[in-house]
Amino acid sequence: MSGKYGSVGNGVSYSKLNGSEDSVNFCSGATAPDTISNASGVFSSGHGYLRTNDSFGKSHKSDSTSVLIDPVGRHDEDDEPILPPSAGRVLGTLGGVFAPVALGQLSTNVFQRVGFVVGEAGMLQTLLMFVLAYTILLLTVLSICAISTNGAIEGGGAYYMISRALGPEFGGAIGLLFFFANVFSAALYVAGFVEGLLSNFGPGGTLNLDPPLPEDDINASFKGYSYLYATVVLIFCLIVCMIGGAMFARTSLFILMVVVLCTLMVIISTFVKQASELPIPIPIPRTNTLVYPDVSNVTENVTTVFYNYTGYSIHTFMENLFGKYTADYTNPKVIQNFAIVFAVLFSSVTGIMNGSNMSGELKDPSRSIPRGTLGAVSFTFTTYIILAFITAFTASGDLLRNNYGYLQEVNIWAPFVIIGIFAATLSAALGNLIGASRVLEALARDELFWFLLKPATIVTRSGNPWVAVIISWLLVQLVLLIGSLNAIAPLVSVFFLLSYAATNLACLALELASAPNFRPTFKYFFWWTSLLGMLGCLAMCFLINAVFAAVAVIILMLLVMVLHLRTWPTSWGSISQALIFHQVRKYLLLLDSRKEHVKFWRPQILLLVANPRSCINLIHFVNDLKKGGLYVLGHVKVGEFDQQKDDEVQQEYPGWLALIDSLKVKAFAEMTVAESVREGMRHLVYISGLGGMKPNTICLGFYDDSVPMDTLVHRRRRTRTFYGSAEEGSTDPVAEIFPPLRGIGDRKPLVAEEYVKLIADTLKMSKNIFICRHFQQLDKEAIIKSKNRKFIDVWPVNMFNPRTAGYLDMSCLFILQLACILNMVSGWKSKTTLRIFLCVEREGPDTERKQKKLEEILKQLRILGQIRAIPWTDAVIHHATSQQSAEETKLSTDYTVVSDEYVVKLNELIKQHSSNQGNTAVTFLYLPRTPKKESLYTKYLKQLAILTDDLPPTVLVHGIHPVTSTTL
């Protein structure tokens, strides 16, 4: 972008007007407002600091494609200066990516560890190690390139990519591990620098002309001075990082040129040495306790041990072809093996994300990261293979295993190698230190770890996170106390490998989710490359050090769980949602309603809620009844959609989701607008669910004249989601989400006839139904805490038609099924017993026969419960039937007109047996079909009210489909 005008994609352009505001035009000749709002904030494009207003109303730096194009000098509402798109982004591909990655991968290996690897593992295993390491690296780089070319990249490198793909929980956990990986790696390279310094200039070093010291003095000198030298090196790195990214890039480019020059001189030197000079005896440093076991007796008169540098020799190559694992003279207590050597090698080539770490300061990260990283990986792999072959052809195995700094003895000018060692390790330490600070700043800016990392967000006017740099520097100082270079290497490798595995996982998830917005411009990757990269990284973790890997994975999982409980200050979008959508859609297509079988029936319930304030207990109760089935909270807004200024359903829907989250019920919410509750209920029955997962059972609250209780306010477990602070002037968000309940004398929104029509419509639409009353009395916690067992009472008989007593129709079986499901739920199962009442006209032999028959049926249905035979002759004699004949009413499930006195007797009978000593938790009753004549609707509802008056929480049930089976 240059000048006053720039492009924002195909057909979209913007221009700066009068040097103060920006306008966005979508097509030629079109007039657009100064800002165009979308779901995530203000629309625009480009690089720079992103600003959006999230759902919490607070301004945050965003990671979406929404960018606020602001001229220099503008301020946001918090009076914070908003940087222009170019501010802080000064690095190109060469200095910002290629140089840091190349130097991070050359690091200690190029001069100090190639000989060690070849000498211990042999040339064949060395090639295998490099191919294995670089295959894992390349597969990971492909994933990095894919993610980095899929949108605007902010600061934070790998952490940013992982967190925005996998979500804050996994991203934050991996980000913290990646931060510590960079810290440990910086310490590793500083230790390598000091090792090179002491091996040349320290006591007994190759360039130290002073006589060697006794063992105690050498150890004391090493322990004291090595940490002092490391501190000096770190101070230099700190100064460079404090100046900023531009200084880091210039320093990296200069160091890279030095390392390349020194490497070329090593290669040239192998050809310059004349045949007459070969073989060249190379002295073994006096610090090698494997060659000089009795260091205390080593004096100037003791014979120095030499091993040969043979020059190019096929005999030498054959000698170095196979491995010979021995003890490392810098750590004699440990015998080397493939895993240890590979860990040392891999830990020195883990710099592939050094360029990605600088993503916030790259001019064009989507272009620079792929090109720079792939170029650096190819360059370093070629360099290592050349050096490995040269090493295997020219130096004896004994020399390689006992003098890691032998190259300076055969170089045209010995200081070339020393300078190369210092330059390579210094640059790698520098890259990891600045990378760690950028990751830490990104973690702090995203507020994942509450206020703990808040200081790391402090930056200079140019955007350099100087506090994060200081924190990272201090941690590296602490890590250096671990000591040996090789002791740190396995831990570094495990941390980096986990980070690489997460990067591959992020790319794999994005690819498998098939999200339309995942369309990276980098095309040279596939889902299987990400999968292989992830598996390779995880396998190498445990191969290198199973203990470290297990501990790291446990820490990772703990961090994920901790972050999962976090309330996020912003939303990035989690790949888990895309994957869940992808899988759910696939399985919903496979869920064929035509293949349903009664053996696998489960309740899928639509609970119609007028106002959740009055039915919190009922919502929890129905949640217990669903038995893993679909559960939908439905709400009808009465009114005309055309008369609404905005869609009120969309405005209120988040409040219902918040209610579900607060109550911790596994439910969905569905809302609709209709001119009547009846019409809206039909909408909800038809639209709720999808495919083969749709409601088969409708639940209604009871219609009566009682004043509803605000159970939302009085429920015991209150959450901050719904309750504001107690400070004066604070508002209760519930009042804004849900209206207050009706009071005494207030008009009901639904008349009795329409309520009965809801029941009739439900049955007409072939849905089971149950109606709940008195659930404001239900206290599940009290039931669970009670020392006495409670009963779930079941009355499987149509009491409005006593002639049906002794017959179990669909409704009776449905009642038994619901009661059995409730009794299977945790809490209810341990504190309640199922009690089935068998209504008989009189006690006698016939009663015993009916009881045994019922026991047999319950046994076949695998329903455990107590059967109580109840004579109801006194109630039956008050029964007054309609004009229907006995034959017509024998097995009818319809409502039969009866006298109110008869219903009162039934109510007294139920109360007598279910409310004794308050031992009934819930009562299940038979709900007859609605009358065929609408003129009887009011009487029907009135007698249902009489039947259930003063009972414990009661459920009136009517089922029309088979719900249970006696077959296996």
Side-chain angles (χ1 to χ4, degrees):
M1 179 179 72
S2 62
K4 293 172 62 178
Y5 302 93
S7 175
V8 189
N10 298 331
V12 183
S13 64
Y14 66 87
S15 61
K16 183 158 66 173
L17 303 178
N18 302 323
S20 60
E21 295 291 339
D22 300 317
S23 66
V24 181
N25 296 319
F26 282 82
C27 59
S28 178
T31 302
D34 291 339
T35 59
I36 297 179
S37 298
N38 60 13
S40 57
V42 182
F43 175 89
S44 71
S45 177
H47 301 294
Y49 285 85
L50 310 180
R51 305 291 261 180
T52 65
N53 291 323
D54 60 18
S55 58
F56 291 83
K58 183 181 177 182
S59 179
H60 291 279
K61 291 180 181 178
S62 167
D63 350 282
S64 65
T65 54
S66 307
V67 182
L68 180 62
I69 305 174
D70 251 298
V72 179
R74 278 189 58 177
H75 289 66
D76 64 6
E77 63 274 15
D78 297 323
D79 202 33
E80 296 178 357
I82 301 176
L83 301 178
S86 60
R89 294 187 177 270
V90 297
L91 305 184
T93 301
L94 184 62
V97 181
F98 181 87
V101 173
L103 289 171
Q105 290 195 284
L106 291 173
S107 61
T108 57
N109 261 4
V110 68
F111 296 116
Q112 288 182 287
R113 288 296 181 262
V114 171
F116 163 77
V117 174
V118 174
E120 294 287 343
M123 189 60 201
L124 291 179
Q125 291 189 43
T126 297
L127 286 176
L128 176 62
M129 288 181 182
F130 274 114
V131 170
L132 183 61
Y134 271 83
T135 298
I136 294 173
L137 295 175
L138 180 61
L139 293 173
T140 304
V141 168
L142 295 180
S143 297
I144 294 171
C145 295
I147 297 176
S148 65
T149 59
N150 189 51
I153 302 295
E154 291 278 319
Y159 156 70
Y160 182 88
M161 299 177 190
I162 295 169
S163 61
R164 269 48 176 185
L166 299 182
E169 298 95 337
F170 201 77
I174 283 291
L176 193 63
L177 286 187
F178 188 59
F179 164 71
F180 281 110
N182 278 278
V183 168
F184 277 98
S185 190
L188 172 69
Y189 297 134
V190 170
F193 183 98
V194 174
E195 181 183 307
L197 183 70
L198 293 178
S199 63
N200 286 280
F201 301 101
T206 56
L207 299 182
N208 189 352
L209 301 179
D210 294 333
L213 301 172
E215 181 179 8
D216 293 340
D217 292 340
I218 289 177
N219 291 337
S221 180
F222 267 55
K223 290 179 181 178
Y225 285 103
S226 62
Y227 194 77
L228 176 62
Y229 298 150
T231 301
V232 174
V233 174
L234 270 179
I235 290 175
F236 171 78
C237 295
L238 175 65
I239 293 172
V240 173
C241 294
M242 291 291 284
I243 295 174
M247 183 63 183
F248 166 75
R250 287 192 290 269
T251 304
S252 296
L253 280 173
F254 173 75
I255 295 176
L256 179 62
M257 288 188 290
V258 173
V259 172
V260 170
L261 175 62
C262 294
T263 305
L264 287 174
M265 294 309 299
V266 167
I267 297 173
I268 293 171
S269 296
T270 61
F271 295 99
V272 169
K273 294 294 182 179
Q274 301 298 320
S276 59
E277 300 175 330
L278 300 175
I280 301 174
I282 307 297
I284 304 304
R286 300 295 179 87
T287 54
N288 187 334
T289 57
L290 298 177
V291 176
Y292 306 101
D294 193 3
V295 179
S296 60
N297 293 327
V298 175
T299 64
E300 290 182 318
N301 298 323
V302 172
T303 302
T304 301
V305 178
F306 294 88
Y307 290 119
N308 289 332
Y309 173 82
T310 64
Y312 286 97
S313 168
I314 191 65
H315 176 76
T316 302
F317 181 77
M318 295 305 296
E319 177 190 350
N320 291 322
L321 192 60
F322 302 100
K324 185 179 180 182
Y325 291 109
T326 61
D328 174 11
Y329 72 82
T330 65
N331 189 15
K333 297 180 180 180
V334 179
I335 302 297
Q336 304 301 298
N337 55 43
F338 182 93
I340 296 175
V341 175
F342 180 79
V344 174
L345 181 151
F346 193 88
S347 64
S348 297
V349 295
T350 52
I352 58 172
M353 290 195 176
N354 283 2
S356 303
N357 290 343
M358 303 303 297
S359 57
E361 295 168 74
L362 295 172
K363 294 178 182 177
D364 189 354
S366 295
R367 180 176 181 272
S368 297
I369 291 175
R371 294 190 177 190
T373 306
L374 286 172
V377 168
S378 302
F379 169 72
T380 55
F381 179 73
T382 303
T383 302
Y384 277 130
I385 295 301
I386 292 173
L387 289 176
F389 271 103
I390 290 175
T391 300
F393 268 106
T394 59
S396 65
D398 290 332
L399 177 60
L400 296 177
R401 286 184 289 272
N402 290 287
N403 187 347
Y404 302 153
Y406 78 96
L407 285 175
Q408 65 194 57
E409 299 289 342
V410 297
N411 204 280
I412 297 174
W413 186 49
F416 267 131
V417 175
I418 301 173
I419 294 172
I421 293 172
F422 293 162
T425 52
L426 180 64
S427 64
L430 189 61
N432 283 110
L433 180 60
I434 197 168
S437 66
R438 268 48 181 180
V439 173
L440 180 61
E441 187 223 357
L443 283 167
R445 189 177 63 241
D446 289 336
E447 301 177 8
L448 297 188
F449 294 93
W450 298 272
F451 61 89
L452 299 178
L453 302 180
K454 185 68 175 178
T457 59
I458 301 174
V459 299
T460 63
R461 291 184 63 85
S462 61
N464 186 34
W466 64 274
V467 175
V469 171
I470 292 177
I471 294 173
S472 303
W473 171 74
L474 288 172
L475 289 175
V476 175
Q477 284 280 175
L478 293 175
V479 172
L480 282 168
L481 294 173
I482 294 176
S484 172
L485 174 71
N486 288 357
I488 302 174
L491 189 61
V492 175
S493 298
V494 167
F495 279 2
F496 272 111
L497 280 166
L498 280 178
S499 303
Y500 295 168
T503 304
N504 285 300
L505 175 62
C507 190
L508 175 65
L510 287 168
E511 179 69 10
L512 293 180
S514 301
N517 282 320
F518 182 63
R519 43 179 185 270
T521 57
F522 181 83
K523 302 298 183 183
Y524 303 102
F525 82 99
F526 306 93
W527 67 268
W528 54 267
T529 60
S530 300
L531 178 61
L532 289 177
M534 181 184 69
L535 295 177
C537 291
L538 293 176
M540 286 301 104
C541 276
F542 288 92
L543 177 64
I544 288 171
N545 193 304
V547 175
F548 282 161
V551 171
V553 169
I554 291 173
I555 293 173
L556 177 64
M557 292 299 102
L558 289 175
L559 287 172
V560 169
M561 288 188 288
V562 169
L563 292 174
H564 182 70
L565 303 175
R566 176 87 160 88
T567 300
W568 303 111
T570 186
S571 176
W572 305 328
S574 173
I575 190 63
S576 62
Q577 295 301 303
L579 288 172
I580 291 170
F581 178 90
H582 185 269
Q583 292 301 110
V584 167
R585 181 193 64 85
K586 181 172 69 174
Y587 288 119
L588 274 175
L589 291 172
L590 295 175
L591 186 61
D592 191 342
S593 59
R594 295 169 297 182
K595 299 179 181 178
E596 290 180 354
H597 195 281
V598 66
K599 289 191 300 184
F600 306 111
W601 181 90
R602 67 181 72 234
Q604 303 196 90
I605 303 172
L606 169 62
L607 170 62
L608 294 177
V609 179
N611 191 328
R613 287 179 177 274
S614 61
C615 56
I616 297 301
N617 295 342
L618 179 57
I619 292 173
H620 281 295
F621 175 76
V622 177
N623 186 64
D624 288 340
L625 278 180
K626 72 180 187 305
K627 191 56 178 177
L630 178 68
Y631 181 21
V632 181
L633 300 181
H635 176 68
V636 179
K637 292 194 67 64
V638 179
E640 293 187 16
F641 186 80
D642 290 341
Q643 302 300 320
Q644 296 181 359
K645 182 179 180 181
D646 297 307
D647 185 0
E648 296 180 5
V649 167
Q650 296 298 324
Q651 294 175 356
E652 296 183 14
Y653 188 71
W656 285 83
L657 294 181
L659 172 72
I660 291 171
D661 291 340
S662 174
L663 298 180
K664 294 181 174 60
V665 294
K666 297 178 180 179
F668 300 94
E670 287 288 355
M671 301 175 65
T672 188
V673 177
E675 295 183 4
S676 68
V677 175
R678 184 185 179 191
E679 180 186 350
M681 187 274 288
R682 291 198 296 264
H683 291 175
L684 292 173
V685 172
Y686 284 130
I687 68 174
S688 297
L690 191 63
M693 185 174 287
K694 295 184 73 68
N696 55 32
T697 305
I698 311 301
C699 177
L700 301 174
F702 198 80
Y703 185 94
D704 56 25
D705 295 325
S706 62
V707 178
M709 178 189 298
D710 198 333
T711 53
L712 182 61
V713 172
H714 291 89
R715 67 192 178 101
R716 286 188 172 89
R717 294 182 177 178
R718 301 185 176 187
T719 63
R720 295 183 64 182
T721 304
F722 284 92
Y723 293 88
S725 63
E727 297 176 2
E728 185 178 356
S730 64
T731 59
D732 184 355
V734 178
E736 301 175 6
I737 298 174
F738 305 113
L741 296 170
R742 62 180 174 86
I744 301 175
D746 291 345
R747 180 177 176 273
K748 295 182 181 180
L750 192 67
V751 297
E753 289 79 3
E754 187 177 6
Y755 177 83
V756 179
K757 288 178 181 179
L758 295 181
I759 303 173
D761 289 347
T762 299
L763 298 176
K764 186 176 182 179
M765 290 186 286
S766 296
K767 304 294 181 183
N768 306 309
I769 188 170
F770 62 91
I771 301 171
C772 300
R773 191 181 187 192
H774 303 311
F775 272 82
Q776 71 274 11
Q777 303 173 12
L778 182 66
D779 191 340
K780 183 179 176 181
E781 291 185 8
I783 294 172
I784 294 173
K785 294 177 181 178
S786 174
K787 296 181 180 179
N788 301 321
R789 294 189 69 84
K790 301 284 186 177
F791 290 102
I792 298 173
D793 288 348
V794 180
W795 298 77
V797 58
N798 182 3
M799 293 184 173
F800 289 87
N801 191 350
R803 295 179 183 274
T804 62
Y807 297 92
L808 294 181
D809 59 16
M810 289 293 184
S811 289
C812 295
L813 292 175
F814 188 49
I815 294 172
L816 288 169
Q817 181 79 327
L818 288 182
C820 181
I821 289 173
L822 182 63
N823 190 235
M824 294 169 66
V825 175
S826 176
W828 292 95
K829 183 176 182 179
S830 60
K831 292 295 183 178
T832 60
T833 300
L834 205 60
R835 185 166 59 178
I836 300 99
F837 290 95
L838 175 62
C839 297
V840 295
E841 292 188 7
R842 63 184 63 85
E843 293 184 359
D846 189 56
T847 299
E848 186 176 347
R849 181 184 61 81
K850 289 182 178 180
Q851 187 167 344
K852 288 183 178 180
K853 182 65 176 177
L854 181 58
E855 288 176 352
E856 182 64 24
I857 293 174
L858 294 179
K859 182 179 180 181
Q860 292 179 5
L861 295 175
R862 291 89 62 205
I863 296 177
L864 301 178
Q866 301 176 5
I867 298 177
R868 297 284 182 89
I870 302 298
W872 66 339
T873 305
D874 291 342
V876 172
I877 61 175
H878 290 281
H879 178 242
T881 64
S882 64
Q883 299 303 313
Q884 293 174 308
S885 66
E887 186 65 28
E888 290 176 319
T889 61
K890 184 175 182 181
L891 296 177
S892 173
T893 61
D894 292 343
Y895 165 75
T896 304
V897 177
V898 295
S899 66
D900 290 348
E901 292 79 6
Y902 167 71
V903 181
V904 169
K905 286 289 184 178
L906 291 176
N907 175 259
E908 292 174 353
L909 177 69
I910 297 171
K911 285 193 293 185
Q912 176 186 349
H913 292 282
S914 66
S915 299
N916 184 27
Q917 298 178 351
N919 58 356
T920 297
V922 179
T923 299
F924 285 84
L925 300 178
Y926 192 110
L927 175 69
R929 279 183 174 271
T930 55
K932 295 179 180 179
K933 297 179 181 180
E934 292 188 13
S935 59
L936 295 175
Y937 280 2
T938 303
K939 187 174 184 64
Y940 170 82
L941 188 58
K942 175 187 174 183
Q943 292 192 338
L944 288 181
I946 295 173
L947 179 67
T948 56
D949 278 344
D950 301 321
L951 293 183
T954 303
V955 185
L956 293 159
V957 182
H958 191 95
I960 60 176
H961 296 296
V963 296
T964 187
S965 171
T966 60
T967 60
L968 181 63

